[in-house]
């Protein structure tokens, strides 16, 4: 079974520029998550989708971050404009069902460096 | 253990010895706990989970212990191997989302 796919793997941009990340979850997984992982810390949830609807975006900085999951499969996360403190690894995860107790499977992440 | 900024707690263990990684969680209402392993350049990988109605659960070479009285979770790895070198995170499901601890770096020495 193929895992969660993410691209690009690395991205370097200057502050105030825009960037977008892409995620393809495991086939058949209804729930998709985006996490931000700052160096030396555990992942922090940014947004959770159930199919193509948002379940939780309470920790998403909505003034600069946006995410969508059209058609309930692939998802994109965008940052516009980027700040220095956005430098982190952005992880996508998916799980089979909505229930949070279902195992989440993570992709390899996109490492973002903002200069 | 707790980490501050970039300074992850580190556990150095000799190959073949048993490892014990500890974690304190914060929400007494959390009912599900998971241990993840994260190797350099990769996403977290599920190791083992435990429900709050259990005290102990065993997997292949791993055991998770849950002490709800003191809100403490531990992961025991038997016969630690070089491939076990990674950062280990405990996570609790509470307040409707999975919340990760700070992580412990495990270094396996020959």
């Amino acid at each position: 079974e193929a895992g969660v796919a993410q691209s690009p793997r690395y991205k370097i941009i200057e502050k105030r520029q825009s960037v977008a990340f892409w995620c393809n979850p495991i086939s058949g997984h209804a729930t998709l998550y985006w996490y931000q992982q700052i160096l030396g810390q555990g992942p922090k949830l940014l947004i959770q989708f159930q199919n193509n609807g948002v379940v939780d975006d309470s920790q998403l900085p909505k003034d600069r971050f946006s995410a969508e999951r059209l058609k309930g499969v692939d998802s994109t996360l965008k940052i516009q404009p980027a700040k220095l403190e956005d430098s982190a690894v952005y992880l996508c995860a998916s799980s089979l069902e909505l229930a949070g107790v279902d195992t989440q499977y993570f992709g390899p992440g996109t490492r973002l460096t903002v200069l | 253990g707790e980490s501050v900024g970039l300074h992850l707690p580190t556990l150095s263990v000799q190959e073949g010895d048993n490892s014990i990684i500890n974690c304190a969680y914060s929400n007494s209402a959390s009912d599900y706990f998971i241990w993840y392993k994260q190797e350099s350049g990769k996403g977290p990988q599920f190791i083992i989970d435990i429900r709050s109605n259990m005290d102990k659960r065993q997997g292949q070479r791993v055991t998770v212990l849950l002490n709800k009285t003191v809100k403490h979770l531990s992961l025991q790895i038997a016969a630690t191997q070089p491939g076990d070198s990674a950062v280990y995170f405990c996570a609790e499901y509470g307040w409707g989302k999975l919340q990760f601890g700070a992580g412990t770096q495990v270094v396996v020495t020959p």
Side-chain angles (χ1 to χ4, degrees):
Chain A
E1 176 182 82
V4 176
Q6 291 188 246
S7 68
R9 292 296 315 276
Y10 305 92
K11 191 73 177 178
I12 301 174
I13 61 173
E14 294 188 350
K15 60 182 178 182
R16 292 187 290 273
Q17 286 187 323
S18 302
V19 65
F21 313 125
W22 174 82
C23 172
N24 183 252
I26 293 173
S27 178
H29 279 196
T31 308
L32 184 147
Y33 312 79
W34 283 102
Y35 287 85
Q36 180 192 59
Q37 185 175 25
I38 293 173
L39 183 64
Q41 298 181 18
K44 183 187 83 171
L45 180 69
L46 292 175
I47 189 167
Q48 176 181 340
F49 291 94
Q50 162 77 350
N51 295 315
N52 61 349
V54 176
V55 174
D56 182 353
D57 63 356
S58 58
Q59 298 187 93
L60 187 74
K62 298 180 187 64
D63 57 334
R64 298 183 301 106
F65 286 64
S66 65
E68 61 182 10
R69 191 185 183 197
L70 301 176
K71 302 180 182 178
V73 181
D74 294 7
S75 177
T76 57
L77 176 69
K78 297 179 182 178
I79 307 175
Q80 180 181 13
K83 293 185 175 181
L84 297 177
E85 59 261 35
D86 298 332
S87 293
V89 175
Y90 291 84
L91 295 161
C92 180
S94 69
S95 63
L96 190 59
E97 297 177 0
L98 169 63
V101 295
D102 198 16
T103 302
Q104 295 185 26
Y105 296 91
F106 285 81
T110 296
R111 180 176 296 277
L112 174 67
T113 302
V114 182
L115 303 176
Chain B
E2 294 287 332
S3 69
V4 178
L6 301 178
H7 303 290
L8 279 174
T10 299
L11 174 67
S12 184
V13 59
Q14 198 161 13
E15 182 178 353
D17 288 350
N18 296 335
S19 304
I20 300 176
I21 307 164
N22 296 304
C23 175
Y25 63 92
S26 56
N27 185 2
S28 57
S30 292
D31 58 3
Y32 178 60
F33 305 87
I34 311 106
W35 280 99
Y36 281 92
K37 172 186 179 183
Q38 187 172 27
E39 296 175 277
S40 181
K42 298 183 180 180
Q45 177 187 3
F46 173 88
I47 302 173
I48 191 169
D49 58 4
I50 188 168
R51 305 275 171 164
S52 61
N53 60 353
M54 302 171 68
D55 297 322
K56 178 180 179 179
R57 190 170 186 211
Q58 289 184 290
Q60 187 177 12
R61 281 204 306 120
V62 294
T63 301
V64 56
L65 299 177
L66 175 63
N67 185 330
K68 295 180 287 294
T69 303
V70 295
K71 293 191 285 187
H72 182 268
L73 198 66
S74 69
L75 178 71
Q76 300 177 3
I77 305 173
T80 310
Q81 302 169 0
D84 295 327
S85 291
V87 177
Y88 289 79
F89 292 98
C90 66
E92 59 180 308
Y93 182 73
W95 296 298
K97 60 174 66 75
L98 202 58
Q99 305 203 62
F100 286 78
T104 297
Q105 174 89 51
V106 171
V107 177
V108 181
T109 57

